[in-house]
Amino acid sequence: MSKPVGIGVLGARSMVARLAVLPAIEASSKATLVAAASLSGPVPDPWANATVSDYEAVINHPDVEAIYLALPNDMHRAWTMHAAAAGKHVLCEKPLAVSPDEARVMQAACHSSGTLLAEAWMTPFDPRWRHAMQLAADGLVGELTEINSAFTFTIGPERADNYRWILDHGGGALLDVGIYCLGPAVELWGSQPTAVEASIDLAPSGVDATTTVQLTWPSGQIARARVSFVQTEQQRLEIVGTTGRIVLDGDAHTGGPNAKRIRVECDPATNSATNSATNSARERSIDVEPGDPYLGMINAFAAAVRGTQRWPRPVERSIDMLELLSQIRTSAQ
């Protein structure tokens, strides 16, 4: 067994670092936390013993091989460049950058230094999401025709200092969670729809508080998505085919311990691949053993750093997603 990858964390007090990624690093046999820093306060327990003075100290720590970057979006480029210059691999929170051009600069820096640049979109590592996508691709509900998705939650006015509300920090609902809603369609149909229709509700700060979008692909497939910082919390993914639909409710995009069941609605005459009935012959469920998508992501990143497997989502696909998000913003404007 190879030595665990030494990881340093920039932005250790961010919510995703505290609640998800730091616990995943701790749980992983393939990675270990070496150093961490936060400019907004002390590194929280139980990881405080990894505290170093600042971000540069994390990057320059001799035992740090890779950086997990959980900073506001407008800081991703600069700190990725610092890490690449020091020969450190980078797992960067989504969105990878605030624009496709910035992401390309990051890509070039990591390519020049021979380091891995990976975007920390953890959803593909969730067992239920991955199984639902495979069922859709395998034709469980026939030829796929549309995808409907939502990811909405509230960031209250008391959190006006949250970078997601600040335009100069790369804020806005579309950039923050658009990848969750659009990712399934892009995975199945590619990142270049032929038609884009979008509407945006702007917050007083100038960022999009809510964005709704409809995309159409060359063969007629349609994806509809809604993301918001001001609507009631909802995560939902519906993949529709010619013979039925696959539905994920609850933690549809974030996964985790409660992501156990895939709901399938099919014509009974065509549905023989599911395993437990729910309310009727037309609606069935498929039970999935849940898992921690963040742990899966950390393990995959560590394996890619060690060269024992390829990172499953090349940075070019992250840039393609940023191009699509930019196209949506342009359409709405």
Side-chain angles (χ1 to χ4, degrees):
M1 182 178 294
S2 60
K3 177 183 175 183
V5 173
I7 293 183
V9 175
L10 307 188
R13 286 183 64 86
S14 73
M15 184 172 68
V16 66
R18 287 185 292 107
L19 299 183
V21 177
L22 281 166
I25 294 171
E26 186 174 31
S28 174
S29 62
K30 299 178 182 292
T32 186
L33 180 66
V34 172
S38 170
L39 300 187
S40 61
V43 173
D45 288 329
W47 306 287
N49 60 351
T51 301
V52 295
S53 59
D54 54 27
Y55 297 156
E56 291 283 3
V58 173
I59 291 173
N60 292 327
H61 193 292
D63 295 328
V64 167
E65 301 170 80
I67 298 296
Y68 167 63
L69 204 161
L71 301 174
N73 300 335
D74 64 316
M75 301 174 72
H76 290 182
R77 180 182 67 172
W79 287 103
T80 295
M81 303 285 281
H82 279 296
K88 307 298 170 81
H89 306 279
V90 178
L91 178 63
C92 179
E93 260 306 323
K94 54 81 199 158
L96 186 65
V98 298
S99 72
D101 287 343
E102 283 205 356
R104 290 188 185 96
V105 171
M106 296 159 63
Q107 177 190 28
C110 290
H111 179 75
S112 295
S113 65
T115 56
L116 172 66
L117 175 60
E119 184 178 30
W121 178 39
M122 81 299 177
T123 308
F125 299 96
D126 177 62
R128 182 178 68 158
W129 187 94
R130 189 168 60 245
H131 191 51
M133 291 290 291
Q134 190 62 57
L135 292 173
D138 289 346
L140 178 65
V141 291
E143 184 179 351
L144 302 180
T145 58
E146 59 184 90
I147 294 176
N148 302 302
S149 186
F151 196 158
T152 63
F153 54 98
T154 57
I155 304 177
E158 73 279 0
R159 298 297 308 276
D161 60 341
N162 189 310
Y163 76 87
R164 293 171 178 82
W165 285 125
I166 302 172
L167 191 62
D168 289 344
H169 286 336
L174 181 64
L175 200 55
D176 189 52
V177 293
I179 188 173
Y180 293 107
C181 290
L182 300 174
V186 169
E187 291 288 312
L188 291 167
W189 302 326
S191 62
Q192 296 183 328
T194 52
V196 177
E197 302 173 51
S199 64
I200 286 177
D201 294 333
L202 290 178
S205 64
V207 305
D208 64 300
T210 301
T211 293
T212 57
V213 60
Q214 177 171 302
L215 308 175
T216 305
W217 272 260
S219 297
Q221 304 98 327
I222 293 174
R224 302 179 186 89
R226 175 168 49 90
V227 294
S228 181
F229 290 160
V230 295
Q231 295 182 1
T232 302
E233 184 172 350
Q234 181 188 31
Q235 292 188 39
R236 192 170 194 273
L237 174 63
E238 178 189 54
I239 304 173
V240 181
T242 52
T243 63
R245 67 192 65 221
I246 297 169
V247 180
L248 301 185
D249 292 309
D251 300 326
H253 306 298
T254 54
N258 296 320
K260 301 176 180 179
R261 180 160 294 180
I262 300 169
R263 182 156 53 91
V264 181
E265 300 173 10
C266 284
D267 179 342
T270 63
N271 185 6
S272 60
T274 56
N275 58 11
S276 62
T278 55
N279 294 328
S280 71
R282 289 184 56 83
E283 181 176 314
R284 297 181 178 273
S285 65
I286 299 174
D287 293 330
V288 178
E289 185 69 27
D292 180 355
Y294 290 95
L295 177 57
M297 177 180 71
I298 291 298
N299 285 341
F301 178 69
V305 167
R306 285 285 176 258
T308 58
Q309 68 182 49
R310 295 179 64 86
W311 179 249
R313 189 166 174 266
V315 69
E316 289 82 5
R317 288 166 64 185
S318 299
I319 295 172
D320 288 344
M321 177 60 72
L322 287 169
E323 290 280 11
L324 180 57
L325 298 180
S326 179
Q327 190 178 356
I328 290 168
R329 286 196 298 269
T330 299
S331 174
Q333 292 165 358

